[in-house]
Amino acid sequence: MTDSSLPKPIRKAVFPVAGLGTRFLPATKAIPKEMLPIIDRPLIQYAVDEAREAGIEQLIFVTGRGKTAIVEHFDMAFELEATMKDRDKSLEALAPTRIQPGNLVTVRQQVPLGLGHAIWCARAIVGDEPFAIFLPDELMIGQPGCMKQMVEAYNQVGGNLISVLEVPEDEVSSYGVIAPGKRDGALTEVMGLVEKPKREEAPSNLIISGRYILQPEVMRVLEHQGKGAGGEIQLTDAMAQMIGQQPFHAVTFAGKRYDCGSKTGFVEATLAIALEREDMRDEVRAIATRLLGLG
Ligand code: G1P
């Protein structure tokens, strides 16, 4: 395949990070939930690393009041770096926080009207090109990462893509759910989409797991999108209107997913990642074994 036959590249990604994080209070009273660490990296860092691995250049954060720590995290900390250099300390740990000037843009979501509205707030920065969306609560660990797998699929089929995974049927009502069509390997045609359906009305148990590649037309649909599930402007409802107008596929992610929007999911992610990390896995395994009374 020659480069000219590839669809337009995905250079920009939107990160909706305006949420209040009430589920993690009081931890999130003064700190954005996206800054809670999984071991030594804040949650948002995992999503940004995944984006950069997939070739994304520009990060667009849709933020709100009290969320500036996220922007600080990706800024250059001149005094910190100078002091560390003076003391001959390695700056390696800071490497993932370096974003080229101009490649981090923030817009504010002034009113919490829902995910669809948050994405729409980024329309002027996204402009007229396809873009990715990351919901940082969903921690996706894979090799390659979830978005890289999606970009590879996008280079074959173009159009719109969402990552999906199977959940037990009693969990579907917490998510966006797809009506699946033809399946070809990891790719499934999307025939319909419904946000937070009742269990008995869900078209499948394949849920949208927080990664999207969308065409810019979705912004024009969002412009007129009314309120949906939970009284919020839902991205899922706007995407549903694009089915039939443009190609729409789901990618089944080959990797692990942790729902860090819930406390137990957060603990699971911390433990799972600690058990994978060479620098600590033996020690953590020994601790877990002891705590479980298995040692
Ligand atoms: C959002 C989306 C939903 C998706 C979910 C993934 O819901 O609206 O379609 O399945 O994220 O975490 P929320 O968790 O914001 O209610």
Side-chain angles (χ1 to χ4, degrees):
M1 196 186 261
T2 61
D3 273 355
S4 60
S5 63
L6 291 175
K8 260 192 179 179
I10 310 298
R11 301 186 309 124
K12 301 182 179 186
V14 179
F15 298 76
V17 291
L20 293 175
T22 48
R23 278 203 257 177
F24 280 86
L25 282 171
T28 48
K29 186 179 172 197
I31 294 173
K33 69 171 174 177
E34 296 79 8
M35 290 304 293
L36 296 178
I38 303 279
I39 307 175
D40 50 11
R41 281 199 290 168
L43 201 47
I44 187 72
Q45 183 77 61
Y46 290 87
V48 165
D49 291 351
E50 185 190 325
R52 298 216 288 186
E53 181 205 17
I56 280 154
E57 294 160 17
Q58 190 175 60
L59 315 174
I60 305 166
F61 289 151
V62 181
T63 70
R65 291 168 61 79
K67 292 283 186 151
T68 37
I70 301 175
V71 180
E72 295 273 330
H73 177 77
F74 291 105
D75 194 7
M76 187 182 171
F78 183 78
E79 284 166 326
L80 175 67
E81 293 199 9
T83 312
M84 286 174 74
K85 266 190 214 145
D86 272 356
R87 295 181 188 166
D88 278 334
K89 292 219 155 88
S90 163
L91 296 179
E92 202 190 322
L94 294 174
T97 68
R98 278 180 227 273
I99 306 290
Q100 289 287 317
N103 279 348
L104 189 154
V105 181
T106 63
V107 291
R108 292 263 187 158
Q109 183 186 23
Q110 293 175 324
V111 210
L113 294 179
L115 177 60
H117 175 256
I119 301 306
W120 177 80
C121 289
R123 68 200 177 285
I125 324 282
V126 166
D128 196 24
E129 55 180 289
F131 64 105
I133 301 173
F134 290 76
L135 308 189
D137 271 3
E138 298 278 351
L139 178 53
M140 310 292 264
I141 304 287
Q143 281 181 338
C146 184
M147 187 52 70
K148 189 155 187 200
Q149 291 179 25
M150 291 175 72
V151 167
E152 281 163 11
Y154 169 79
N155 287 338
Q156 291 168 24
V157 293
N160 303 276
L161 289 112
I162 47 181
S163 68
V164 293
L165 50 89
E166 273 186 63
V167 296
E169 266 161 33
D170 58 353
E171 289 177 22
V172 286
S173 56
S174 304
Y175 298 100
V177 180
I178 73 161
K182 264 193 284 164
R183 186 166 178 171
D184 178 11
L187 275 177
T188 305
E189 246 180 282
V190 177
M191 313 303 285
L193 284 166
V194 40
E195 181 68 16
K196 302 195 171 65
K198 289 197 188 119
R199 178 186 176 158
E200 56 279 11
E201 285 163 15
S204 74
N205 65 339
L206 286 171
I207 62 130
I208 308 172
S209 65
R211 300 291 183 275
Y212 311 72
I213 291 177
L214 297 178
Q215 296 300 314
E217 286 77 16
V218 74
M219 294 299 191
R220 297 197 264 290
V221 180
L222 281 168
E223 184 98 39
H224 305 287
Q225 187 61 52
K227 290 181 177 169
E232 298 191 336
I233 298 173
Q234 296 290 354
L235 178 61
T236 304
D237 296 344
M239 293 191 303
Q241 294 191 51
M242 293 172 64
I243 299 169
Q245 317 280 323
Q246 294 181 343
F248 216 119
H249 290 89
V251 181
T252 305
F253 168 55
K256 298 220 174 80
R257 168 254 185 180
Y258 305 98
D259 177 7
C260 292
S262 90
K263 292 178 209 180
T264 47
F266 204 94
V267 173
E268 183 191 3
T270 304
L271 201 50
I273 289 173
L275 287 169
E276 293 283 313
R277 272 180 49 161
E278 263 176 43
D279 60 337
M280 60 179 69
R281 66 175 166 221
D282 294 343
E283 217 177 318
V284 174
R285 182 172 296 277
I287 292 168
T289 309
R290 176 164 47 77
L291 288 175
L292 292 169
L294 301 171

